[in-house]
Amino acid sequence: MKDFCKKCKGECSNGVYTFWWIIRLAMVGLFIKSLFDDPFLPVISFEILMNLGIMFVWEICMFMPRWTVFRYIQPLMQTIIIIADFIAVVTAYLFNFYYEVRLWDSFLHFCSGAGIVFFGYEFACALIKKEKKTASLSLILLCSVGFSFMCSTLWELFEFTGDHVIGLVTGNLANAQFWSYTRLIGTDKIKTIFEYMDIGRYAIMDTMGDMFLNTAGAILGFVILKLYPYRHKGRFRLDFILQKNKVSNK
């Protein structure tokens, strides 16, 4: 059991790993609460459960073979995922921010567009380190921005598929992409960042608004990393980025 826990933890510090589990247990508490809500909405419970699963990406990576690129990604990425995931669920489930706060969804899309550029940066650097190669900062940033665009598109596809599947399985309307205009009447979410003019165009305007915000965030992330490319210490160091010669994999 000790060896199993050690492998799950990987090279993550005890303090950080404890923090992860505190947040995960809080998410479990939210899931249990959703099961006893009046009225009980299976859609909400299912969404919380999916978000809880995302919080275990690190452990999944640690059980992959050592030659995989995921073993070279630093634990900070899992910390960011857990915090962002928890904030999104709490603000949506407990405080209903997505419907009650005018630009909350827009703010999260903008931040995610920028944040995923940093994830792409880490992923590209991990791949380079695994292959014991070097690359220019410009090439890494190009990959980082492309990764952000890919994830933003996949997220919209995920929401679309999730709404459809959850609706078929539970019989309840899932509205992650805000398809239902009638559910938005009387809430701050009735407004999108673009004027939709026609009710029939509401869903597409909301989705395209998200894509524009993701793009703006990605541009911001690119500018920040272009001006201030950061590095790490130890096994996760990134000081090889601007070097022309190979570095050892220590």
Side-chain angles (χ1 to χ4, degrees), residues 8 12 27 80 87 101 126 146 176 184:
C8 287
C12 176
M27 185 73 90
I80 295 173
I87 291 174
V101 178
L184 305 173

mmCIF file of all heavy atoms in Angstrom, residues 8 12 27 80 87 101 126 146 176 184:
data_model
loop_
_atom_site.group_PDB
_atom_site.id
_atom_site.type_symbol
_atom_site.label_atom_id
_atom_site.label_comp_id
_atom_site.label_asym_id
_atom_site.label_seq_id
_atom_site.Cartn_x
_atom_site.Cartn_y
_atom_site.Cartn_z
ATOM 1 N N CYS A 8 1.513 6.976 -6.685
ATOM 2 C CA CYS A 8 0.470 7.969 -6.969
ATOM 3 C C CYS A 8 0.991 9.381 -6.784
ATOM 4 O O CYS A 8 0.724 10.275 -7.581
ATOM 5 C CB CYS A 8 -0.727 7.748 -6.038
ATOM 6 S SG CYS A 8 -1.727 6.308 -6.438
ATOM 7 N N CYS A 12 5.713 14.768 -6.220
ATOM 8 C CA CYS A 12 4.976 15.865 -5.605
ATOM 9 C C CYS A 12 5.301 15.925 -4.113
ATOM 10 O O CYS A 12 5.415 14.890 -3.445
ATOM 11 C CB CYS A 12 3.480 15.651 -5.820
ATOM 12 S SG CYS A 12 2.442 16.875 -5.025
ATOM 13 N N MET A 27 -14.789 18.409 -2.848
ATOM 14 C CA MET A 27 -15.580 18.132 -4.050
ATOM 15 C C MET A 27 -16.483 16.925 -3.840
ATOM 16 O O MET A 27 -17.637 16.916 -4.296
ATOM 17 C CB MET A 27 -14.652 17.897 -5.239
ATOM 18 C CG MET A 27 -15.373 17.730 -6.560
ATOM 19 S SD MET A 27 -16.047 19.284 -7.166
ATOM 20 C CE MET A 27 -14.676 19.875 -8.143
ATOM 21 N N ILE A 80 -2.937 23.692 -10.385
ATOM 22 C CA ILE A 80 -3.715 24.706 -11.087
ATOM 23 C C ILE A 80 -5.046 24.129 -11.549
ATOM 24 O O ILE A 80 -6.102 24.766 -11.425
ATOM 25 C CB ILE A 80 -2.923 25.269 -12.284
ATOM 26 C CG1 ILE A 80 -1.677 26.004 -11.786
ATOM 27 C CG2 ILE A 80 -3.800 26.203 -13.123
ATOM 28 C CD1 ILE A 80 -0.751 26.455 -12.894
ATOM 29 N N ILE A 87 -13.054 26.000 -8.165
ATOM 30 C CA ILE A 87 -13.687 27.320 -8.232
ATOM 31 C C ILE A 87 -14.854 27.311 -9.215
ATOM 32 O O ILE A 87 -15.927 27.862 -8.942
ATOM 33 C CB ILE A 87 -12.648 28.391 -8.635
ATOM 34 C CG1 ILE A 87 -11.639 28.608 -7.500
ATOM 35 C CG2 ILE A 87 -13.334 29.710 -8.990
ATOM 36 C CD1 ILE A 87 -10.510 29.542 -7.858
ATOM 37 N N VAL A 101 -24.086 36.329 -12.402
ATOM 38 C CA VAL A 101 -23.005 37.308 -12.578
ATOM 39 C C VAL A 101 -22.797 37.523 -14.072
ATOM 40 O O VAL A 101 -22.456 36.584 -14.797
ATOM 41 C CB VAL A 101 -21.697 36.831 -11.913
ATOM 42 C CG1 VAL A 101 -20.579 37.844 -12.157
ATOM 43 C CG2 VAL A 101 -21.913 36.620 -10.418
ATOM 44 N N ALA A 126 8.175 19.652 -21.724
ATOM 45 C CA ALA A 126 8.297 18.277 -21.224
ATOM 46 C C ALA A 126 8.639 17.331 -22.369
ATOM 47 O O ALA A 126 9.457 16.413 -22.219
ATOM 48 C CB ALA A 126 7.000 17.862 -20.550
ATOM 49 N N GLY A 146 -1.079 27.059 -30.191
ATOM 50 C CA GLY A 146 -1.851 26.047 -30.910
ATOM 51 C C GLY A 146 -2.538 25.085 -29.948
ATOM 52 O O GLY A 146 -3.683 24.675 -30.179
ATOM 53 N N ALA A 176 -25.062 23.413 -20.601
ATOM 54 C CA ALA A 176 -23.695 23.909 -20.484
ATOM 55 C C ALA A 176 -23.384 24.944 -21.560
ATOM 56 O O ALA A 176 -22.618 25.872 -21.338
ATOM 57 C CB ALA A 176 -22.706 22.751 -20.564
ATOM 58 N N LEU A 184 -32.833 31.345 -19.445
ATOM 59 C CA LEU A 184 -31.972 32.500 -19.167
ATOM 60 C C LEU A 184 -32.765 33.773 -18.902
ATOM 61 O O LEU A 184 -32.214 34.753 -18.400
ATOM 62 C CB LEU A 184 -31.035 32.735 -20.354
ATOM 63 C CG LEU A 184 -30.178 31.533 -20.763
ATOM 64 C CD1 LEU A 184 -29.433 31.828 -22.056
ATOM 65 C CD2 LEU A 184 -29.199 31.193 -19.654
#
